[in-house]
Amino acid sequence: MEDNKDLQTKTNLDRITHRIMVMSGKGGVGKSFIAVNLAYGLALQGKTVGLLDADIHGPSIAKLTGIEGVPLPEHQQSGKPMPIMVLNNIHVLSVASMLSSENSALIWRGPLKMALIKQFFSDFEWPPLDYLIVDCPPGTGDEPLSVIQTLGKVDGAVIVTTPQDLALIDVRKSVSFAEQLKVPILGIIENMKYFVCPHCGEQTAIFQGNKLEVLIFEKSIDLLAELELDPNIGIASDKGRPYIYDFGKTTNAEILQSAVDRILAKVES
Amino acid sequence: MEDNKDLQTKTNLDRITHRIMVMSGKGGVGKSFIAVNLAYGLALQGKTVGLLDADIHGPSIAKLTGIEGVPLPEHQQSGKPMPIMVLNNIHVLSVASMLSSENSALIWRGPLKMALIKQFFSDFEWPPLDYLIVDCPPGTGDEPLSVIQTLGKVDGAVIVTTPQDLALIDVRKSVSFAEQLKVPILGIIENMKYFVCPHCGEQTAIFQGNKLEVLIFEKSIDLLAELELDPNIGIASDKGRPYIYDFGKTTNAEILQSAVDRILAKVES
């Protein structure tokens, strides 16, 4: 039985060409928002993308992709549940879906988080993918470590942060975590960098940390994007719609898409 | 040995008159900021306050109160470490301080989080307190449950959120968690409600959820404060200074102080 599971994990992973982890040191910086839009941005470039919500304690990918309460379909041959196809080239698997599916008892039996994360691959039937985007739990604890151990090969990590010195401590931890585990850092996305007043058009830096530049310089890390705190992000998120599609013509979405393109170029170079 | 520990936990808890938990469904909503300012706000009213950072995975109270790297003092008689006195009537104990202290190995030995949370009381010498404010980990998992079980009697919970529908799901969970455990809900603080442009003075709702009102009405929960997303909060936080002191004359800080006064009135009525 265990052998079958390992085989299934291996088979599923063999079908995935590139694997990208989206990490953040602390919660609330927009990590899941970036993971979703990274997936959609890659899909816009014609890639077949899987999006895995591995944020066990605070899964929000189901809400962000509008699949809350949607039951997982079954694979015709194996009878195993499959990720939900939100577009013809995007497949989403969220812990939230697992909880609402009939398989929830099975899935949560293992007390170890490592076991749980392995089950994302052993107990589900993934289609062949060009990219798998994994939305990791915040921090540098057991869960992201288990993600790396399960995936085996990870092409790179995208670190999401906000411009606060308080958040920077955690970015340093994420960077050193990735370095220790020999996961290449694809770059940092600085979210909520500034706000443009819709009344007068003036920019304000709501969060005012300024030490990220030092870290980026020290470590030669790529700053992939500095994103605006655009109220439309909240609107898209609450509707379960991808911002990069629905507000694709905004400068902010273009910056995000260009970050996606840089990630793509790095991974496939 | 275990009996001594239980006795010590009991003795420490006997010295604490009122216990308040600060909770949030998701990270990044400003829970720790509220916990710190609640503690300072109570201290401004002459209360002796303890502030416990029980957010094991992302402790930020040490940074927010400017005690990062400050070693824990030892109690003269017992030789046990004590919380750090940041003002003559505020005593702070953070997981971060525990990690940097020589006691870190001892403290983290127990694999169970319940044991760790018990140690906050058994292994430290707390002074007599009018109030203990506990900054809980986000969510409604084992940790906040352990906090309640350890404290025994909890006077009430303050729930912190931001105005996003995505955050509201988690607020509902926090409310039902408190109800199930018979912890009175002192009220909700809605953080980052709007932004006032420093250039033109116009308000913008950056996050635009609008369903919190429904929940508040359904459950007759008190909305203690709607706070502005004031860039000074980031400035104060990054300096490890309490916003409610350093920016005490702003309308926002006054709203926060009046929330503190309402909590005080509820708990002591």
Side-chain angles (χ1 to χ4, degrees):
Chain A
M1 187 64 193
E2 198 52 41
D3 283 352
N4 278 348
K5 280 205 158 187
D6 280 351
L7 185 66
Q8 172 72 5
T9 305
K10 197 173 169 295
T11 311
N12 266 315
L13 286 171
D14 278 348
R15 290 191 206 129
I16 301 170
T17 313
H18 301 293
R19 298 138 196 202
I20 295 174
M21 299 172 62
V22 183
M23 302 177 65
S24 75
K26 66 192 284 288
V29 298
K31 173 180 57 58
S32 301
F33 158 71
I34 296 296
V36 166
N37 284 277
L38 185 49
Y40 275 86
L42 287 166
L44 272 174
Q45 301 292 22
K47 303 295 175 184
T48 300
V49 186
L51 176 57
L52 172 62
D53 188 357
D55 192 348
I56 300 168
H57 298 292
S60 45
I61 294 288
K63 169 82 184 166
L64 289 171
T65 55
I67 57 162
E68 275 181 307
V70 175
L72 297 174
E74 269 191 14
H75 188 256
Q76 271 198 324
Q77 275 92 51
S78 67
K80 287 193 179 180
M82 292 191 298
I84 293 171
M85 208 167 84
V86 293
L87 271 186
N88 67 355
N89 59 345
I90 304 187
H91 305 266
V92 181
L93 180 59
S94 163
V95 187
S97 300
M98 289 161 68
L99 285 170
S100 63
S101 83
E102 291 178 348
N103 303 288
S104 55
L106 170 74
I107 292 156
W108 288 91
R109 201 174 295 146
L112 293 167
K113 282 170 188 161
M114 179 71 189
L116 175 63
I117 288 165
K118 265 197 170 177
Q119 285 173 323
F120 285 132
F121 300 97
S122 60
D123 294 2
F124 296 86
E125 198 77 45
W126 287 86
L129 300 173
D130 297 317
Y131 281 85
L132 176 70
I133 307 296
V134 184
D135 184 23
C136 291
T140 51
D142 289 349
E143 296 100 327
L145 181 62
S146 298
V147 168
I148 294 170
Q149 288 172 338
T150 303
L151 292 178
K153 172 185 153 269
V154 177
D155 290 78
V158 174
I159 299 170
V160 184
T161 187
T162 51
Q164 292 155 285
D165 292 343
L166 185 59
L168 185 69
I169 309 167
D170 297 316
V171 174
R172 284 195 178 272
K173 280 190 207 163
S174 299
V175 168
S176 105
F177 176 84
E179 284 177 344
Q180 279 175 46
L181 294 164
K182 307 213 184 325
V183 172
I185 297 168
L186 295 170
I188 292 179
I189 293 182
E190 203 174 9
N191 199 15
M192 312 187 196
K193 181 75 180 178
Y194 56 91
F195 176 71
V196 180
C197 177
H199 303 283
C200 69
E202 293 281 342
Q203 278 191 17
T204 307
I206 295 186
F207 302 107
Q208 305 186 13
N210 53 7
K211 293 177 188 158
L212 186 62
E213 285 71 14
V214 179
L215 175 71
I216 285 170
F217 180 75
E218 270 174 29
K219 300 276 187 181
S220 308
I221 296 172
D222 196 1
L223 182 60
L224 294 167
E226 295 179 308
L227 296 176
E228 180 190 332
L229 180 45
D230 177 0
N232 292 321
I233 292 175
I235 293 173
S237 299
D238 281 340
K239 282 186 188 158
R241 294 284 313 162
Y243 174 79
I244 207 168
Y245 276 26
D246 283 16
F247 296 93
K249 294 201 172 149
T250 60
T251 312
N252 208 40
E254 281 169 8
I255 291 170
L256 198 46
Q257 185 62 49
S258 101
V260 172
D261 296 345
R262 276 160 75 181
I263 291 168
L264 208 150
K266 280 185 184 199
V267 171
E268 301 194 4
S269 68
Chain B
M1 187 63 194
E2 199 50 41
D3 284 352
N4 278 347
K5 280 206 158 186
D6 281 351
L7 186 66
Q8 172 70 9
T9 305
K10 196 173 170 297
T11 310
N12 266 315
L13 287 171
D14 278 347
R15 290 191 205 128
I16 301 169
T17 312
H18 300 294
R19 298 140 195 198
I20 295 174
M21 299 171 65
V22 182
M23 302 177 65
S24 75
K26 67 191 283 290
V29 298
K31 173 179 56 59
S32 301
F33 158 71
I34 296 296
V36 166
N37 283 278
L38 186 49
Y40 275 85
L42 288 166
L44 272 174
Q45 302 292 22
K47 304 295 175 185
T48 300
V49 186
L51 175 58
L52 172 62
D53 187 358
D55 192 348
I56 300 167
H57 298 292
S60 46
I61 294 289
K63 170 81 185 169
L64 288 172
T65 55
I67 57 162
E68 275 181 307
V70 175
L72 297 174
E74 268 190 14
H75 188 256
Q76 271 199 324
Q77 275 94 49
S78 68
K80 286 193 178 178
M82 292 189 298
I84 293 171
M85 209 166 83
V86 294
L87 271 185
N88 66 356
N89 58 345
I90 304 188
H91 305 266
V92 180
L93 181 59
S94 162
V95 186
S97 299
M98 290 161 68
L99 284 170
S100 63
S101 83
E102 290 178 349
N103 303 290
S104 56
L106 170 73
I107 291 156
W108 288 91
R109 200 172 297 144
L112 295 167
K113 282 169 188 162
M114 179 72 190
L116 175 63
I117 287 164
K118 267 198 169 176
Q119 285 174 323
F120 286 132
F121 299 98
S122 61
D123 294 2
F124 296 86
E125 197 78 45
W126 286 87
L129 300 172
D130 297 318
Y131 280 85
L132 177 69
I133 306 297
V134 184
D135 184 22
C136 291
T140 50
D142 289 348
E143 296 101 327
L145 180 62
S146 297
V147 168
I148 294 171
Q149 288 172 337
T150 303
L151 292 178
K153 174 184 152 270
V154 177
D155 289 79
V158 173
I159 299 169
V160 184
T161 187
T162 50
Q164 292 155 284
D165 292 344
L166 186 59
L168 186 69
I169 308 168
D170 297 317
V171 174
R172 284 194 178 273
K173 280 191 206 162
S174 298
V175 168
S176 105
F177 177 83
E179 284 177 344
Q180 279 175 46
L181 294 163
K182 306 212 185 326
V183 172
I185 297 167
L186 296 170
I188 292 179
I189 293 182
E190 203 174 10
N191 199 16
M192 312 187 195
K193 181 76 179 176
Y194 55 92
F195 177 71
V196 179
C197 177
H199 303 283
C200 69
E202 292 282 342
Q203 278 190 18
T204 308
I206 295 186
F207 302 108
Q208 305 184 13
N210 53 6
K211 293 178 189 157
L212 186 62
E213 285 71 15
V214 179
L215 175 71
I216 285 171
F217 180 76
E218 270 174 28
K219 299 276 187 181
S220 308
I221 295 172
D222 196 1
L223 182 60
L224 294 166
E226 295 179 308
L227 296 176
E228 179 190 332
L229 181 46
D230 177 1
N232 292 321
I233 291 174
I235 293 174
S237 299
D238 281 341
K239 282 187 188 159
R241 293 285 312 162
Y243 174 78
I244 207 168
Y245 275 26
D246 283 16
F247 296 94
K249 295 205 171 144
T250 59
T251 312
N252 209 39
E254 282 168 8
I255 291 170
L256 198 47
Q257 185 63 49
S258 100
V260 172
D261 297 344
R262 276 160 76 180
I263 290 169
L264 207 151
K266 281 185 183 199
V267 171
E268 302 195 3
S269 68

